[in-house]
């Protein structure tokens, strides 16, 4: 007879961790136990720093809507992409990074062996069905020695994890509500993207997917 609850009973999925690159890991469901704290914190940030469709320097509006919290936020303008200490919509500093965000990102980084991850930026991406992100590298941060930690919430996505040249073959990884991914070291500059989000409705988030990326930008 069991004197403790079965951790993986019925619908509960075991928490698996997958290595997808030399220094890249997917932590399945890592954020699930924190969702009740994460969602109200996210809502409060986007009330103060609303999601907006940024214009690429080439003059195209992105299908993903973005905002940020933390000391630095990622912006685009006519001169290009960069991190800024102020929200160009309000001319105010970005909302502070909530402790629950920072602690979760640090705990995930630690699981992947990154011991002193200190994110100063959290980029918030919101996808609705059909929104996508083309293959790109993340090169706007001042240092590439720190990893990037991502948190997926809401509708599922197919993430493309490529190589060091745009034309290198990419692997497809599905990312579900509560999954976290850590990219660092030799994998930090790999090309990556997100296929168009499929139609669907998430019980907590409705017809949307949020991806939060924690970065050391400055
Ligand atoms: C892989 N966001 O905001 S997770 C981005 O799901 C971005 O919204 C995607 O790419 C999303 O720049 C993908 C983030 C990610 C970030 C950095 C990486 C994946 C990475 C660096 C190397 C390889
Ligand atoms: Fe990226």
């Amino acid at each position: 007879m069991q004197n403790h609850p079965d951790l993986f009973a019925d619908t509960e999925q075991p928490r698996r961790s997958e290595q997808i690159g030399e220094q890249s890991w997917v932590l399945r469901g890592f954020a699930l136990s924190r969702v009740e704290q994460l969602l109200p914190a996210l809502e409060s940030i986007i009330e103060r720093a609303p999601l907006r469709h940024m214009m690429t320097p080439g003059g195209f509006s992105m299908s993903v809507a973005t905002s940020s919290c933390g000391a630095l936020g990622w912006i685009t303008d006519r001169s290009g992409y960069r991190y800024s200490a102020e929200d160009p919509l309000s001319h105010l500093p970005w909302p502070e990074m909530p402790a629950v965000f920072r602690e979760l990102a640090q705990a995930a980084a630690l699981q992947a062996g990154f011991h002193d991850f200190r994110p100063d930026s959290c980029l918030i991406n919101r996808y609705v069905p059909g929104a996508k992100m083309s293959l790109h590298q993340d090169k706007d941060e001042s240092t590439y020695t720190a990893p990037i930690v991502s948190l997926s919430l809401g509708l599922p996505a197919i993430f493309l994890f490529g190589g060091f040249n745009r034309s290198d073959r990419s692997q497809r990884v599905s990312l579900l509500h509560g999954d976290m991914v850590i990219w660092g070291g030799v994998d930090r500059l790999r090309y990556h993207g997100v296929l168009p989000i499929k139609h669907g409705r998430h019980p907590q988030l409705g017809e949307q997917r949020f991806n939060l990326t924690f970065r050391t930008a400055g």
Side-chain angles (χ1 to χ4, degrees):
M1 211 193 355
Q2 277 183 192
N3 59 4
H4 61 275
D6 185 347
L7 292 176
F8 305 129
D10 300 329
T11 58
E12 282 263 356
Q13 286 285 111
R15 307 281 181 264
R16 285 161 301 128
S17 153
E18 294 162 28
Q19 188 164 7
I20 57 170
E22 217 179 306
Q23 290 185 276
S24 307
W25 286 266
V26 181
L27 307 179
R28 296 287 177 201
F30 192 79
L32 286 178
S33 65
R34 289 277 179 269
V35 168
E36 301 310 318
Q37 290 124 275
L38 294 166
L39 292 182
L42 176 59
E43 204 169 320
S44 154
I45 290 161
I46 61 188
E47 273 168 22
R48 288 175 286 156
L51 292 158
R52 75 290 308 253
H53 293 274
M54 296 225 247
M55 280 292 191
T56 67
F60 297 95
S61 167
M62 293 176 65
S63 64
V64 172
T66 61
S67 184
S68 287
C69 66
L72 293 170
W74 185 81
I75 64 164
T76 70
D77 59 23
R78 251 168 267 132
S79 64
Y81 307 98
R82 61 194 172 86
Y83 283 90
S84 164
E86 82 171 30
D87 178 348
L89 274 187
S90 63
H91 301 290
L92 294 169
W94 297 100
E96 242 187 90
M97 194 182 302
V100 60
F101 282 22
R102 196 183 50 249
E103 286 163 13
L104 181 70
Q106 286 174 330
L110 197 56
Q111 289 283 311
F114 296 97
H115 286 261
D116 41 30
F117 181 48
R118 280 192 194 75
D120 57 13
S121 177
C122 169
L123 172 62
I124 299 164
N125 291 149
R126 189 202 44 199
Y127 298 75
V128 293
K132 65 174 171 64
M133 193 171 285
S134 309
L135 274 185
H136 66 279
Q137 293 172 296
D138 288 15
K139 293 175 94 171
D140 301 327
E141 298 73 24
S142 66
T143 166
Y144 306 144
T145 57
I148 292 181
V149 171
S150 108
L151 162 64
S152 292
L153 294 167
L155 288 178
I158 298 172
F159 174 73
L160 298 174
F161 190 48
F164 299 98
N165 295 104
R166 189 183 295 279
S167 58
D168 291 348
R169 190 190 157 77
S170 38
Q171 44 173 322
R172 292 173 176 215
V173 181
S174 13
L175 294 180
L176 308 178
H177 181 69
D179 289 349
M180 294 191 73
V181 194
I182 301 97
W183 292 272
V186 297
D187 293 323
R188 175 64 181 73
L189 289 175
R190 283 172 70 154
Y191 275 89
H192 57 279
V194 177
L195 290 181
I197 301 296
K198 291 185 188 128
H199 281 275
R201 181 176 295 275
H202 185 271
Q204 279 166 291
L205 285 153
E207 292 180 292
Q208 51 186 351
R209 167 179 191 251
F210 282 95
N211 182 266
L212 276 54
T213 42
F214 299 92
R215 302 151 185 266
T216 305

